[in-house]
Amino acid sequence: MKQRRSPATIGALGIVVVLLATVSAFFLDDLPLIGAGATYRAQFTEAAGLKPSNEVRIAGVKVGKVTAVELDGDKVEVAFKVKDAWVGDQTTASIQIKTVLGQKYLALDPRGSDTLDPRDTIPLERTTSPYDVLDAFGDATTTLDAIDTTQLAQAMETLSDAFSGTPADIRASLDGVTRLSKTIGSRDDELRKLFAATADTSKVLADRNAEFTKLIGSAGLLLSELNSRQQAISQLLTGTQRLSQQLTGLVKENEEQIGPALEQLRGVVQILQDNNDNLDKAIKLYAPFTRLYANIVGNGRWFDQVVVNLTPPALPLIPGYRDPVRTIGGN
């Protein structure tokens, strides 16, 4: 008889399966069949601020990301993953600056005739590390802060006094070094202020990183909108050109009928224009007549008129009955 599993066992197995599926979802890129491409390695003289998860680009297009940055003896070995891009066996790699705040990315220049074997490492001869200006200023600030310029100037003066009996050429050289030391000592406060201002500027730029990122993203949206508007204008111009071609063909096909119709229309317009001129002239001539006639017979804003001879001459001047002059049919 086959033994059935208890509901508790089935539920526990289901929870384990769900947990495994959830955990594996975070490591899909590391799976050999579902991963995001092949993993390569490159050697650099220094990391130059490159970190895991930084972008990998070819010709400015993102094709992968950096997965690890490790120290290998006196070299730095960078592991990166590339997807949907060809990497040749003579490919060169360089660490480039992405933003003004010092963010980096790994740039590849695919070269060669064969595909690069993931087991092969890009050597130092084909890699380049950038010069980090921010780090250089930081190191210079630390070094200058640690120097006691007053003591350095005193040491130079003591050295100059000790060599006072030496030939003139050597004394002149030491005097020059002494003056240089004094100049550096006199400008110590100014240099400290300069490097302090540089540190403040770097801090302000670092604090505004999110705003710079947002500004760059907004610029991308603006360029996208301008591109869509340019496409719309291009389509409008194309449609206008097609409409012009259609109208041109229509005019050419009906040129024989349109010509006489336009001539007749021109004649009608000329007749209407002549009649309009005559009406205008008549109105102008009627104005003086109206003024004179109103002055003669008018009595305000109207004309006084008398209608006479409405009654027949044979009617009596006084009311009364008289016999008709003629009778027709006894009436």
Side-chain angles (χ1 to χ4, degrees), residues 60-110:
V61 179
K62 180 181 178 181
V63 296
K65 66 178 182 179
V66 177
T67 57
V69 179
E70 300 174 350
L71 183 63
D72 184 14
D74 60 345
K75 302 180 293 295
V76 175
E77 188 169 273
V78 176
F80 57 94
K81 188 170 291 186
V82 177
K83 179 182 178 182
D84 298 334
W86 182 80
V87 181
D89 56 353
Q90 297 298 320
T91 297
T92 60
S94 61
I95 301 176
Q96 301 292 337
I97 299 175
K98 181 180 179 182
T99 64
V100 295
L101 303 180
Q103 189 175 1
K104 306 296 193 306
Y105 70 92
L106 182 62
L108 300 179
D109 185 10

mmCIF file of all heavy atoms in Angstrom, residues 60-110:
data_model
loop_
_atom_site.group_PDB
_atom_site.id
_atom_site.type_symbol
_atom_site.label_atom_id
_atom_site.label_comp_id
_atom_site.label_asym_id
_atom_site.label_seq_id
_atom_site.Cartn_x
_atom_site.Cartn_y
_atom_site.Cartn_z
ATOM 1 N N GLY A 60 31.083 54.213 -26.096
ATOM 2 C CA GLY A 60 30.117 55.002 -25.355
ATOM 3 C C GLY A 60 28.815 54.317 -25.034
ATOM 4 O O GLY A 60 27.961 54.908 -24.375
ATOM 5 N N VAL A 61 28.648 53.049 -25.468
ATOM 6 C CA VAL A 61 27.404 52.306 -25.233
ATOM 7 C C VAL A 61 27.645 51.296 -24.120
ATOM 8 O O VAL A 61 28.627 50.556 -24.141
ATOM 9 C CB VAL A 61 26.936 51.600 -26.520
ATOM 10 C CG1 VAL A 61 25.648 50.817 -26.253
ATOM 11 C CG2 VAL A 61 26.709 52.619 -27.620
ATOM 12 N N LYS A 62 26.731 51.258 -23.162
ATOM 13 C CA LYS A 62 26.869 50.326 -22.039
ATOM 14 C C LYS A 62 26.644 48.903 -22.521
ATOM 15 O O LYS A 62 25.620 48.589 -23.121
ATOM 16 C CB LYS A 62 25.862 50.682 -20.947
ATOM 17 C CG LYS A 62 25.942 49.759 -19.741
ATOM 18 C CD LYS A 62 24.916 50.129 -18.680
ATOM 19 C CE LYS A 62 24.974 49.168 -17.504
ATOM 20 N NZ LYS A 62 23.963 49.499 -16.475
ATOM 21 N N VAL A 63 27.635 48.022 -22.234
ATOM 22 C CA VAL A 63 27.542 46.621 -22.650
ATOM 23 C C VAL A 63 27.713 45.661 -21.478
ATOM 24 O O VAL A 63 27.677 44.446 -21.665
ATOM 25 C CB VAL A 63 28.590 46.309 -23.737
ATOM 26 C CG1 VAL A 63 28.327 47.110 -24.999
ATOM 27 C CG2 VAL A 63 30.001 46.584 -23.212
ATOM 28 N N GLY A 64 27.935 46.171 -20.276
ATOM 29 C CA GLY A 64 28.113 45.286 -19.137
ATOM 30 C C GLY A 64 28.458 46.074 -17.903
ATOM 31 O O GLY A 64 28.233 47.293 -17.822
ATOM 32 N N LYS A 65 29.026 45.387 -16.909
ATOM 33 C CA LYS A 65 29.387 46.040 -15.658
ATOM 34 C C LYS A 65 30.609 45.352 -15.054
ATOM 35 O O LYS A 65 30.933 44.204 -15.367
ATOM 36 C CB LYS A 65 28.229 46.001 -14.674
ATOM 37 C CG LYS A 65 27.867 44.591 -14.201
ATOM 38 C CD LYS A 65 26.745 44.634 -13.177
ATOM 39 C CE LYS A 65 26.400 43.232 -12.668
ATOM 40 N NZ LYS A 65 25.335 43.247 -11.654
ATOM 41 N N VAL A 66 31.287 46.085 -14.171
ATOM 42 C CA VAL A 66 32.433 45.562 -13.442
ATOM 43 C C VAL A 66 31.925 44.691 -12.294
ATOM 44 O O VAL A 66 31.036 45.100 -11.539
ATOM 45 C CB VAL A 66 33.303 46.709 -12.913
ATOM 46 C CG1 VAL A 66 34.462 46.169 -12.081
ATOM 47 C CG2 VAL A 66 33.837 47.546 -14.066
ATOM 48 N N THR A 67 32.490 43.494 -12.175
ATOM 49 C CA THR A 67 32.038 42.566 -11.128
ATOM 50 C C THR A 67 32.992 42.496 -9.951
ATOM 51 O O THR A 67 32.569 42.180 -8.831
ATOM 52 C CB THR A 67 31.849 41.166 -11.722
ATOM 53 O OG1 THR A 67 33.083 40.731 -12.314
ATOM 54 C CG2 THR A 67 30.762 41.177 -12.793
ATOM 55 N N ALA A 68 34.281 42.794 -10.167
ATOM 56 C CA ALA A 68 35.236 42.696 -9.058
ATOM 57 C C ALA A 68 36.470 43.525 -9.380
ATOM 58 O O ALA A 68 36.862 43.663 -10.546
ATOM 59 C CB ALA A 68 35.637 41.245 -8.798
ATOM 60 N N VAL A 69 37.080 44.114 -8.326
ATOM 61 C CA VAL A 69 38.344 44.845 -8.422
ATOM 62 C C VAL A 69 39.227 44.312 -7.293
ATOM 63 O O VAL A 69 38.951 44.562 -6.109
ATOM 64 C CB VAL A 69 38.143 46.360 -8.290
ATOM 65 C CG1 VAL A 69 39.482 47.072 -8.361
ATOM 66 C CG2 VAL A 69 37.197 46.871 -9.370
ATOM 67 N N GLU A 70 40.288 43.568 -7.667
ATOM 68 C CA GLU A 70 41.113 42.893 -6.662
ATOM 69 C C GLU A 70 42.582 43.215 -6.892
ATOM 70 O O GLU A 70 43.010 43.502 -8.025
ATOM 71 C CB GLU A 70 40.901 41.373 -6.746
ATOM 72 C CG GLU A 70 39.454 40.947 -6.509
ATOM 73 C CD GLU A 70 39.252 39.463 -6.754
ATOM 74 O OE1 GLU A 70 40.198 38.831 -7.284
ATOM 75 O OE2 GLU A 70 38.167 38.944 -6.428
ATOM 76 N N LEU A 71 43.356 43.151 -5.793
ATOM 77 C CA LEU A 71 44.798 43.384 -5.849
ATOM 78 C C LEU A 71 45.504 42.066 -6.139
ATOM 79 O O LEU A 71 45.313 41.072 -5.446
ATOM 80 C CB LEU A 71 45.285 43.978 -4.519
ATOM 81 C CG LEU A 71 46.766 44.346 -4.459
ATOM 82 C CD1 LEU A 71 47.084 45.443 -5.463
ATOM 83 C CD2 LEU A 71 47.128 44.785 -3.042
ATOM 84 N N ASP A 72 46.354 42.070 -7.182
ATOM 85 C CA ASP A 72 47.101 40.884 -7.570
ATOM 86 C C ASP A 72 48.584 41.238 -7.585
ATOM 87 O O ASP A 72 49.146 41.635 -8.622
ATOM 88 C CB ASP A 72 46.632 40.404 -8.949
ATOM 89 C CG ASP A 72 47.325 39.108 -9.371
ATOM 90 O OD1 ASP A 72 47.951 38.465 -8.498
ATOM 91 O OD2 ASP A 72 47.256 38.759 -10.564
ATOM 92 N N GLY A 73 49.233 41.116 -6.406
ATOM 93 C CA GLY A 73 50.643 41.492 -6.315
ATOM 94 C C GLY A 73 50.782 43.000 -6.420
ATOM 95 O O GLY A 73 50.201 43.761 -5.646
ATOM 96 N N ASP A 74 51.597 43.467 -7.386
ATOM 97 C CA ASP A 74 51.758 44.899 -7.622
ATOM 98 C C ASP A 74 50.815 45.407 -8.699
ATOM 99 O O ASP A 74 50.988 46.519 -9.208
ATOM 100 C CB ASP A 74 53.205 45.195 -8.018
ATOM 101 C CG ASP A 74 53.601 44.445 -9.287
ATOM 102 O OD1 ASP A 74 52.867 43.504 -9.679
ATOM 103 O OD2 ASP A 74 54.653 44.789 -9.885
ATOM 104 N N LYS A 75 49.818 44.630 -9.089
ATOM 105 C CA LYS A 75 48.859 45.000 -10.115
ATOM 106 C C LYS A 75 47.447 44.920 -9.545
ATOM 107 O O LYS A 75 47.213 44.358 -8.473
ATOM 108 C CB LYS A 75 48.978 44.070 -11.338
ATOM 109 C CG LYS A 75 50.354 44.050 -11.979
ATOM 110 C CD LYS A 75 50.395 43.120 -13.157
ATOM 111 C CE LYS A 75 50.227 41.656 -12.738
ATOM 112 N NZ LYS A 75 51.354 41.182 -11.896
ATOM 113 N N VAL A 76 46.534 45.498 -10.283
ATOM 114 C CA VAL A 76 45.113 45.434 -9.938
ATOM 115 C C VAL A 76 44.406 44.645 -11.033
ATOM 116 O O VAL A 76 44.537 44.963 -12.227
ATOM 117 C CB VAL A 76 44.486 46.846 -9.825
ATOM 118 C CG1 VAL A 76 42.986 46.743 -9.591
ATOM 119 C CG2 VAL A 76 45.141 47.618 -8.694
ATOM 120 N N GLU A 77 43.694 43.622 -10.647
ATOM 121 C CA GLU A 77 42.957 42.791 -11.609
ATOM 122 C C GLU A 77 41.476 43.126 -11.519
ATOM 123 O O GLU A 77 40.873 43.075 -10.440
ATOM 124 C CB GLU A 77 43.169 41.315 -11.327
ATOM 125 C CG GLU A 77 42.594 40.420 -12.416
ATOM 126 C CD GLU A 77 43.026 38.979 -12.264
ATOM 127 O OE1 GLU A 77 44.098 38.623 -12.785
ATOM 128 O OE2 GLU A 77 42.290 38.222 -11.599
ATOM 129 N N VAL A 78 40.916 43.476 -12.665
ATOM 130 C CA VAL A 78 39.506 43.882 -12.756
ATOM 131 C C VAL A 78 38.753 42.811 -13.533
ATOM 132 O O VAL A 78 39.139 42.454 -14.660
ATOM 133 C CB VAL A 78 39.365 45.249 -13.453
ATOM 134 C CG1 VAL A 78 37.894 45.611 -13.622
ATOM 135 C CG2 VAL A 78 40.092 46.320 -12.661
ATOM 136 N N ALA A 79 37.696 42.296 -12.925
ATOM 137 C CA ALA A 79 36.815 41.343 -13.607
ATOM 138 C C ALA A 79 35.566 42.078 -14.051
ATOM 139 O O ALA A 79 34.986 42.863 -13.295
ATOM 140 C CB ALA A 79 36.453 40.192 -12.669
ATOM 141 N N PHE A 80 35.143 41.839 -15.297
ATOM 142 C CA PHE A 80 33.969 42.516 -15.826
ATOM 143 C C PHE A 80 33.203 41.559 -16.725
ATOM 144 O O PHE A 80 33.743 40.603 -17.269
ATOM 145 C CB PHE A 80 34.363 43.780 -16.603
ATOM 146 C CG PHE A 80 35.315 43.538 -17.738
ATOM 147 C CD1 PHE A 80 34.861 43.338 -19.033
ATOM 148 C CD2 PHE A 80 36.685 43.512 -17.508
ATOM 149 C CE1 PHE A 80 35.741 43.118 -20.070
ATOM 150 C CE2 PHE A 80 37.571 43.290 -18.551
ATOM 151 C CZ PHE A 80 37.107 43.090 -19.834
ATOM 152 N N LYS A 81 31.922 41.842 -16.866
ATOM 153 C CA LYS A 81 31.030 40.992 -17.649
ATOM 154 C C LYS A 81 30.485 41.793 -18.830
ATOM 155 O O LYS A 81 30.076 42.937 -18.680
ATOM 156 C CB LYS A 81 29.879 40.491 -16.771
ATOM 157 C CG LYS A 81 28.997 39.438 -17.424
ATOM 158 C CD LYS A 81 28.036 38.830 -16.403
ATOM 159 C CE LYS A 81 28.806 38.000 -15.399
ATOM 160 N NZ LYS A 81 27.905 37.272 -14.466
ATOM 161 N N VAL A 82 30.488 41.188 -20.013
ATOM 162 C CA VAL A 82 30.057 41.839 -21.248
ATOM 163 C C VAL A 82 28.967 40.988 -21.883
ATOM 164 O O VAL A 82 29.079 39.759 -21.960
ATOM 165 C CB VAL A 82 31.231 42.017 -22.237
ATOM 166 C CG1 VAL A 82 30.743 42.618 -23.545
ATOM 167 C CG2 VAL A 82 32.306 42.893 -21.613
ATOM 168 N N LYS A 83 27.908 41.653 -22.356
ATOM 169 C CA LYS A 83 26.781 40.962 -22.976
ATOM 170 C C LYS A 83 26.491 41.577 -24.341
ATOM 171 O O LYS A 83 26.481 42.804 -24.483
ATOM 172 C CB LYS A 83 25.537 41.059 -22.083
ATOM 173 C CG LYS A 83 24.310 40.374 -22.667
ATOM 174 C CD LYS A 83 23.103 40.553 -21.761
ATOM 175 C CE LYS A 83 21.869 39.896 -22.369
ATOM 176 N NZ LYS A 83 20.657 40.101 -21.525
ATOM 177 N N ASP A 84 26.230 40.712 -25.338
ATOM 178 C CA ASP A 84 25.818 41.133 -26.685
ATOM 179 C C ASP A 84 26.831 42.093 -27.313
ATOM 180 O O ASP A 84 26.465 43.095 -27.933
ATOM 181 C CB ASP A 84 24.433 41.792 -26.650
ATOM 182 C CG ASP A 84 23.350 40.839 -26.170
ATOM 183 O OD1 ASP A 84 23.538 39.618 -26.344
ATOM 184 O OD2 ASP A 84 22.347 41.301 -25.612
ATOM 185 N N ALA A 85 28.122 41.831 -27.123
ATOM 186 C CA ALA A 85 29.165 42.658 -27.726
ATOM 187 C C ALA A 85 30.371 41.774 -28.037
ATOM 188 O O ALA A 85 30.678 40.840 -27.292
ATOM 189 C CB ALA A 85 29.559 43.803 -26.804
ATOM 190 N N TRP A 86 31.038 42.086 -29.138
ATOM 191 C CA TRP A 86 32.201 41.300 -29.554
ATOM 192 C C TRP A 86 33.453 41.894 -28.919
ATOM 193 O O TRP A 86 33.685 43.106 -28.963
ATOM 194 C CB TRP A 86 32.326 41.306 -31.069
ATOM 195 C CG TRP A 86 33.473 40.486 -31.577
ATOM 196 C CD1 TRP A 86 33.529 39.137 -31.751
ATOM 197 C CD2 TRP A 86 34.758 40.984 -31.983
ATOM 198 N NE1 TRP A 86 34.741 38.746 -32.222
ATOM 199 C CE2 TRP A 86 35.528 39.856 -32.382
ATOM 200 C CE3 TRP A 86 35.324 42.245 -32.029
ATOM 201 C CZ2 TRP A 86 36.829 39.982 -32.835
ATOM 202 C CZ3 TRP A 86 36.626 42.373 -32.479
ATOM 203 C CH2 TRP A 86 37.368 41.247 -32.879
ATOM 204 N N VAL A 87 34.291 41.041 -28.319
ATOM 205 C CA VAL A 87 35.549 41.440 -27.695
ATOM 206 C C VAL A 87 36.668 40.648 -28.371
ATOM 207 O O VAL A 87 36.698 39.411 -28.297
ATOM 208 C CB VAL A 87 35.533 41.180 -26.179
ATOM 209 C CG1 VAL A 87 36.852 41.620 -25.554
ATOM 210 C CG2 VAL A 87 34.364 41.903 -25.523
ATOM 211 N N GLY A 88 37.585 41.358 -29.057
ATOM 212 C CA GLY A 88 38.661 40.704 -29.790
ATOM 213 C C GLY A 88 39.840 40.341 -28.913
ATOM 214 O O GLY A 88 39.963 40.792 -27.765
ATOM 215 N N ASP A 89 40.750 39.530 -29.495
ATOM 216 C CA ASP A 89 41.896 39.063 -28.732
ATOM 217 C C ASP A 89 42.971 40.134 -28.556
ATOM 218 O O ASP A 89 43.932 39.930 -27.818
ATOM 219 C CB ASP A 89 42.505 37.828 -29.404
ATOM 220 C CG ASP A 89 42.876 38.091 -30.850
ATOM 221 O OD1 ASP A 89 42.545 39.184 -31.366
ATOM 222 O OD2 ASP A 89 43.499 37.213 -31.472
ATOM 223 N N GLN A 90 42.835 41.291 -29.229
ATOM 224 C CA GLN A 90 43.763 42.406 -29.068
ATOM 225 C C GLN A 90 43.063 43.633 -28.476
ATOM 226 O O GLN A 90 43.507 44.770 -28.675
ATOM 227 C CB GLN A 90 44.390 42.774 -30.426
ATOM 228 C CG GLN A 90 45.234 41.683 -31.041
ATOM 229 C CD GLN A 90 46.422 41.323 -30.174
ATOM 230 O OE1 GLN A 90 47.062 42.205 -29.581
ATOM 231 N NE2 GLN A 90 46.746 40.029 -30.077
ATOM 232 N N THR A 91 41.990 43.398 -27.761
ATOM 233 C CA THR A 91 41.199 44.484 -27.188
ATOM 234 C C THR A 91 42.012 45.245 -26.140
ATOM 235 O O THR A 91 42.761 44.657 -25.361
ATOM 236 C CB THR A 91 39.921 43.928 -26.532
ATOM 237 O OG1 THR A 91 39.125 43.307 -27.544
ATOM 238 C CG2 THR A 91 39.124 45.019 -25.863
ATOM 239 N N THR A 92 41.856 46.579 -26.146
ATOM 240 C CA THR A 92 42.483 47.424 -25.130
ATOM 241 C C THR A 92 41.419 47.924 -24.160
ATOM 242 O O THR A 92 40.247 48.080 -24.537
ATOM 243 C CB THR A 92 43.202 48.615 -25.769
ATOM 244 O OG1 THR A 92 42.235 49.402 -26.499
ATOM 245 C CG2 THR A 92 44.283 48.148 -26.731
ATOM 246 N N ALA A 93 41.833 48.177 -22.929
ATOM 247 C CA ALA A 93 40.912 48.635 -21.886
ATOM 248 C C ALA A 93 41.505 49.846 -21.189
ATOM 249 O O ALA A 93 42.722 49.968 -21.045
ATOM 250 C CB ALA A 93 40.648 47.512 -20.870
ATOM 251 N N SER A 94 40.629 50.758 -20.766
ATOM 252 C CA SER A 94 41.070 51.953 -20.051
ATOM 253 C C SER A 94 39.995 52.360 -19.056
ATOM 254 O O SER A 94 38.808 52.121 -19.276
ATOM 255 C CB SER A 94 41.340 53.110 -21.030
ATOM 256 O OG SER A 94 40.155 53.442 -21.737
ATOM 257 N N ILE A 95 40.434 52.959 -17.970
ATOM 258 C CA ILE A 95 39.510 53.484 -16.953
ATOM 259 C C ILE A 95 39.271 54.956 -17.268
ATOM 260 O O ILE A 95 40.217 55.751 -17.303
ATOM 261 C CB ILE A 95 40.096 53.301 -15.543
ATOM 262 C CG1 ILE A 95 40.365 51.816 -15.270
ATOM 263 C CG2 ILE A 95 39.141 53.864 -14.496
ATOM 264 C CD1 ILE A 95 41.047 51.554 -13.931
ATOM 265 N N GLN A 96 38.010 55.320 -17.507
ATOM 266 C CA GLN A 96 37.665 56.670 -17.919
ATOM 267 C C GLN A 96 36.823 57.335 -16.837
ATOM 268 O O GLN A 96 36.183 56.675 -16.021
ATOM 269 C CB GLN A 96 36.886 56.653 -19.243
ATOM 270 C CG GLN A 96 37.624 56.017 -20.394
ATOM 271 C CD GLN A 96 38.823 56.823 -20.839
ATOM 272 O OE1 GLN A 96 38.894 58.031 -20.602
ATOM 273 N NE2 GLN A 96 39.781 56.164 -21.479
ATOM 274 N N ILE A 97 36.832 58.672 -16.856
ATOM 275 C CA ILE A 97 36.044 59.457 -15.906
ATOM 276 C C ILE A 97 34.660 59.686 -16.496
ATOM 277 O O ILE A 97 34.531 60.200 -17.610
ATOM 278 C CB ILE A 97 36.733 60.796 -15.603
ATOM 279 C CG1 ILE A 97 38.107 60.539 -14.976
ATOM 280 C CG2 ILE A 97 35.885 61.647 -14.672
ATOM 281 C CD1 ILE A 97 38.913 61.793 -14.738
ATOM 282 N N LYS A 98 33.627 59.311 -15.757
ATOM 283 C CA LYS A 98 32.241 59.418 -16.232
ATOM 284 C C LYS A 98 31.623 60.760 -15.916
ATOM 285 O O LYS A 98 30.941 61.351 -16.744
ATOM 286 C CB LYS A 98 31.399 58.294 -15.632
ATOM 287 C CG LYS A 98 29.946 58.289 -16.083
ATOM 288 C CD LYS A 98 29.190 57.144 -15.436
ATOM 289 C CE LYS A 98 27.723 57.145 -15.871
ATOM 290 N NZ LYS A 98 26.960 56.060 -15.211
ATOM 291 N N THR A 99 31.814 61.277 -14.720
ATOM 292 C CA THR A 99 31.224 62.543 -14.293
ATOM 293 C C THR A 99 32.297 63.435 -13.698
ATOM 294 O O THR A 99 33.407 63.001 -13.396
ATOM 295 C CB THR A 99 30.117 62.317 -13.246
ATOM 296 O OG1 THR A 99 30.704 61.757 -12.066
ATOM 297 C CG2 THR A 99 29.059 61.368 -13.771
ATOM 298 N N VAL A 100 31.934 64.730 -13.512
ATOM 299 C CA VAL A 100 32.871 65.686 -12.935
ATOM 300 C C VAL A 100 33.140 65.388 -11.471
ATOM 301 O O VAL A 100 34.086 65.934 -10.882
ATOM 302 C CB VAL A 100 32.311 67.119 -13.080
ATOM 303 C CG1 VAL A 100 32.221 67.507 -14.523
ATOM 304 C CG2 VAL A 100 30.947 67.236 -12.410
ATOM 305 N N LEU A 101 32.323 64.532 -10.864
ATOM 306 C CA LEU A 101 32.512 64.193 -9.459
ATOM 307 C C LEU A 101 33.430 62.997 -9.268
ATOM 308 O O LEU A 101 33.612 62.537 -8.150
ATOM 309 C CB LEU A 101 31.146 63.922 -8.811
ATOM 310 C CG LEU A 101 30.147 65.077 -8.906
ATOM 311 C CD1 LEU A 101 28.845 64.704 -8.249
ATOM 312 C CD2 LEU A 101 30.724 66.324 -8.261
ATOM 313 N N GLY A 102 33.988 62.469 -10.337
ATOM 314 C CA GLY A 102 34.973 61.414 -10.212
ATOM 315 C C GLY A 102 34.456 60.010 -10.414
ATOM 316 O O GLY A 102 35.199 59.054 -10.208
ATOM 317 N N GLN A 103 33.207 59.840 -10.824
ATOM 318 C CA GLN A 103 32.712 58.482 -11.071
ATOM 319 C C GLN A 103 33.377 57.917 -12.328
ATOM 320 O O GLN A 103 33.560 58.617 -13.318
ATOM 321 C CB GLN A 103 31.183 58.506 -11.235
ATOM 322 C CG GLN A 103 30.558 57.123 -11.274
ATOM 323 C CD GLN A 103 29.049 57.198 -11.317
ATOM 324 O OE1 GLN A 103 28.491 58.271 -11.343
ATOM 325 N NE2 GLN A 103 28.392 56.055 -11.331
ATOM 326 N N LYS A 104 33.732 56.632 -12.291
ATOM 327 C CA LYS A 104 34.510 56.011 -13.364
ATOM 328 C C LYS A 104 33.693 54.947 -14.095
ATOM 329 O O LYS A 104 32.638 54.504 -13.624
ATOM 330 C CB LYS A 104 35.773 55.346 -12.786
ATOM 331 C CG LYS A 104 36.648 56.253 -11.947
ATOM 332 C CD LYS A 104 37.233 57.381 -12.731
ATOM 333 C CE LYS A 104 38.347 58.099 -11.957
ATOM 334 N NZ LYS A 104 37.969 58.567 -10.642
ATOM 335 N N TYR A 105 34.206 54.562 -15.267
ATOM 336 C CA TYR A 105 33.678 53.423 -15.999
ATOM 337 C C TYR A 105 34.824 52.785 -16.791
ATOM 338 O O TYR A 105 35.866 53.408 -17.020
ATOM 339 C CB TYR A 105 32.526 53.826 -16.927
ATOM 340 C CG TYR A 105 32.930 54.654 -18.122
ATOM 341 C CD1 TYR A 105 33.243 54.057 -19.348
ATOM 342 C CD2 TYR A 105 32.986 56.038 -18.041
ATOM 343 C CE1 TYR A 105 33.604 54.821 -20.445
ATOM 344 C CE2 TYR A 105 33.349 56.807 -19.127
ATOM 345 C CZ TYR A 105 33.652 56.190 -20.328
ATOM 346 O OH TYR A 105 34.018 56.938 -21.407
ATOM 347 N N LEU A 106 34.631 51.534 -17.187
ATOM 348 C CA LEU A 106 35.653 50.777 -17.914
ATOM 349 C C LEU A 106 35.321 50.843 -19.402
ATOM 350 O O LEU A 106 34.237 50.432 -19.831
ATOM 351 C CB LEU A 106 35.685 49.327 -17.437
ATOM 352 C CG LEU A 106 36.754 48.427 -18.084
ATOM 353 C CD1 LEU A 106 38.147 48.938 -17.771
ATOM 354 C CD2 LEU A 106 36.588 46.990 -17.619
ATOM 355 N N ALA A 107 36.245 51.398 -20.190
ATOM 356 C CA ALA A 107 36.054 51.540 -21.630
ATOM 357 C C ALA A 107 36.860 50.475 -22.365
ATOM 358 O O ALA A 107 38.045 50.261 -22.066
ATOM 359 C CB ALA A 107 36.471 52.934 -22.094
ATOM 360 N N LEU A 108 36.219 49.811 -23.332
ATOM 361 C CA LEU A 108 36.866 48.778 -24.139
ATOM 362 C C LEU A 108 36.952 49.234 -25.591
ATOM 363 O O LEU A 108 36.036 49.871 -26.114
ATOM 364 C CB LEU A 108 36.079 47.462 -24.060
ATOM 365 C CG LEU A 108 35.912 46.821 -22.678
ATOM 366 C CD1 LEU A 108 35.087 45.547 -22.796
ATOM 367 C CD2 LEU A 108 37.266 46.526 -22.043
ATOM 368 N N ASP A 109 38.065 48.896 -26.215
ATOM 369 C CA ASP A 109 38.264 49.162 -27.645
ATOM 370 C C ASP A 109 38.528 47.825 -28.332
ATOM 371 O O ASP A 109 39.659 47.332 -28.354
ATOM 372 C CB ASP A 109 39.438 50.117 -27.847
ATOM 373 C CG ASP A 109 39.594 50.507 -29.315
ATOM 374 O OD1 ASP A 109 38.695 50.185 -30.118
ATOM 375 O OD2 ASP A 109 40.626 51.137 -29.651
ATOM 376 N N PRO A 110 37.467 47.180 -28.867
ATOM 377 C CA PRO A 110 37.636 45.835 -29.443
ATOM 378 C C PRO A 110 38.584 45.854 -30.640
ATOM 379 O O PRO A 110 38.396 46.619 -31.583
ATOM 380 C CB PRO A 110 36.210 45.454 -29.868
ATOM 381 C CG PRO A 110 35.315 46.332 -29.065
ATOM 382 C CD PRO A 110 36.064 47.633 -28.896
#
